[in-house]
Amino acid sequence: MEVYICIKNFGKIKEARVNISHFTVFVGNNNSGKTQLMELIYAIVKHVSALGPDIMTPQIGDIDAFSIGDKEIRHLNEWVNEYLSRHIQKIIEDTFNAPIPIDEVSVEFLGNESSYEIYFLTDKTIEYLLAKGLINQEELMEMLLNKERYYNALVLKKTAQNVENFKSSTGFSNSIPIETARKIETGAILSGIMGGGSPVSSNVLFLPASRMGLMLLYKHYFGSAGRDKEEMIRDRNQNSKGITKPVLDFLSFLLKYSYTERVAKQNEALTDFIFQHLIDGRISEKGEATVYTPNDQNREIPIFVASSMVNEVVPVVKALTDSDKIDFIFYDEVETSMHPLKQIEMVKLLNRLNNKGFRLIVSTHSDTMATKINNLLLLSHGELDFESVKEELKKNKILIERDDLLNSDDIHVYQFVNDMQGKSIVEELEFKKVPCTGYDFSLFNDSTMNLFEEAKIAMRIDDEN
């Protein structure tokens, strides 16, 4: 399913229709509204994902089970838009600590190919599930460990190809009515569509542009060493007026971060790529401190005295090793503090993250990054033999592996262009396979041509020569 968020007249943004389902890239000038739009999308994703929608869902037979198909998905989409029309101003004020006007906001769910079935494991439902082979005795026993006090939910996602266990073993107290639990599980399906995960254990991370400064000062921001972390975060949520909510969430993530071996193992290939290709060393946790060990040294360096580029990447390593399994990253000004050669490696990392299943929304001002994104897409979806291309590039000291290419073509690139009234027009760029040019980044083309013309004049070269 493709999910779009549509905005009209919000801050600098005149109009935008942005796909948030897979891999989204924002390019544009400073002060064109990229960060503000990214923060609004983040807020909408987080807020909508925490809702319990009240829509009609047909009952399956006479058991405690319900189905959600195309019709219900459309009703879910309508319900979300009605909710946003009533609450968007409050969402904006909570996010930005300011009443920023907005004319319109809506979401679109397009191309749905899935249906869902929600089963509550009450006595009359269990027999049905066993008879249909939707659950076996071993799975059932695991889900019914606390049957005396709780019943559980099983949510199946069906496509034309297969049936998968979308969500299971959610325990509900016996005192909660099935109708209430149904709304909660419908909310879980909505959360999966939007990408926002559980409101309790967040899978969404916003990485703001000023990452190094925030990394160095976040503990001072919360203050009062020894206080309960959750208490400090609640206090800041209630009293913080100087920063936006996405930035506060990032600071809270740093404060609550907990290295988890299981998650680290799952993402080991990604962190190894960061260590080998981006920061030329390793990042590790020593108690409450984060340290950096360069490849050419055995000495651990406190992260606050490491280079700015290393500090910029630390939050990504934390996201790949945290107890909250993060799989949706908003990455503002992704190239910050990076040499152009490291920016090229960062594009490879973004592709690898997306190939691993991470949703991404990133912004960049860098023509180097934009060009590398373009080139890797041309290589990803061209009809060239990869091994021969790899060897040809290697002759020119350009190293590339198959994992650096994007597996999917579900990438959406948006260019922010300021109009004469100072508003930004957000236009989706078309990837052109014929002719094989990829994206036309007109903003970067203009700056490149300006530099070229300047060099010609400086060297007294005219067009005839």
Side-chain angles (χ1 to χ4, degrees), residues 51 60 75 85 123 149 164 224 228 239 243 332 348 376 437:
L51 299 175
I60 298 174
H75 289 167
S85 69
D123 291 338
R149 295 179 57 194
E164 64 178 85
S224 300
D228 178 76
N239 299 298
I243 60 175
D332 196 15
K348 295 178 182 178
L376 289 182
T437 55

Side-chain angles (χ1 to χ4, degrees), residues 284-304:
S284 56
E285 302 296 323
K286 297 293 181 180
E288 292 291 313
T290 303
V291 297
Y292 169 63
T293 307
N295 284 337
D296 57 354
Q297 299 180 25
N298 293 322
R299 186 167 59 92
E300 295 173 342
I301 301 172
I303 199 65
F304 59 82

Side-chain angles (χ1 to χ4, degrees), residues 104 217 327 403 440:
E104 186 178 320
L217 298 173
D327 57 19
D403 288 343
D440 177 16

Side-chain angles (χ1 to χ4, degrees), residues 171-188:
F172 293 94
S173 168
N174 284 340
S175 63
I176 294 179
I178 292 292
E179 184 61 24
T180 302
R182 180 186 65 82
K183 292 179 184 178
I184 295 172
E185 292 302 325
T186 304

